[in-house]
Amino acid sequence: MRSWATDGRGGQVKIGGWGGLFGDEGSGFWIGRQALALLTALLDGRNQADHAFFAPFVAAMGFPTEKAACGTALLEWYGTLRHPRASVAALARIVSDLAEGGLEPARRLMREAADHLCAHIEAAQRHFPETSLPWSYAGGTFQSRFLRESVAVRHGVPVPPRLPPVGGGLLNAARLAGWDVDDAWIERVSVALRDAGLTS
């Protein structure tokens, strides 16, 4: 997960997004990886406290609930993925749905993700201590209402995004090119991206 901030006077900073090996905390991939780590700890008995997570998570993945068979299914699932990172990231939706349904281990995973994302906002604020930085969001992970609300508890209600993630790149490129980027330009780009189906 990468965050980008500007002070509105030309100053910019990027935070996070260092990749799945030693960064990317709070992203969909990170949430999915944490969920799989929790599942494997439940399968082999290292975790004795979060049994409530097991049955609904494996059911959502379509795995058997008998532990030996579940472990086999998990390894087969992962071994046959064509796009492992995207498939693991997609598990964040399951975790979010379970969290919104009140399942505490899933809520804890989503709160931990929110903690990492709050750290991005706080780091950005340290870069621009004289500027008030409202926050917004983009990407599939923030489709989670639970995640947005968990961040909002600490940093206030987000500004609704006007462009999908690809639009942010277009906006930055236009500014770097010296284009006149005003509200009308943003609205035209938003409509064009929506018409092209590029909304997430």
Side-chain angles (χ1 to χ4, degrees), residues 71-125:
T72 299
L74 172 63
L75 294 176
E76 289 176 351
W77 171 80
Y78 189 75
T80 58
L81 294 179
R82 295 184 63 186
H83 304 287
R85 184 177 176 83
S87 296
V88 171
L91 300 179
R93 179 61 180 268
I94 296 174
V95 179
S96 174
D97 289 346
L98 295 175
E100 292 183 9
L103 188 66
E104 183 51 38
R107 293 170 71 88
R108 187 182 70 242
L109 290 180
M110 296 302 290
R111 285 194 297 264
E112 289 171 0
D115 288 344
H116 286 297
L117 299 174
C118 286
H120 285 213
I121 297 172
E122 291 151 12
Q125 190 66 72

Side-chain angles (χ1 to χ4, degrees), residues 123-191:
Q125 190 66 72
R126 286 193 292 273
H127 280 279
F128 302 123
E130 305 303 319
T131 303
S132 176
L133 296 177
W135 72 281
S136 189
Y137 56 90
T141 305
F142 268 114
Q143 297 304 308
S144 168
R145 178 176 55 84
F146 188 92
L147 184 65
R148 293 196 309 272
E149 291 177 354
S150 296
V151 175
V153 165
R154 287 164 58 176
H155 293 287
V157 176
V159 176
R162 297 180 64 188
L163 293 170
V166 68
L170 293 172
L171 177 63
N172 199 36
R175 285 175 171 158
L176 290 172
W179 292 8
D180 182 19
V181 177
D182 57 12
D183 285 344
W185 184 92
I186 292 172
E187 182 59 28
R188 286 195 304 273
V189 171
S190 176
V191 171

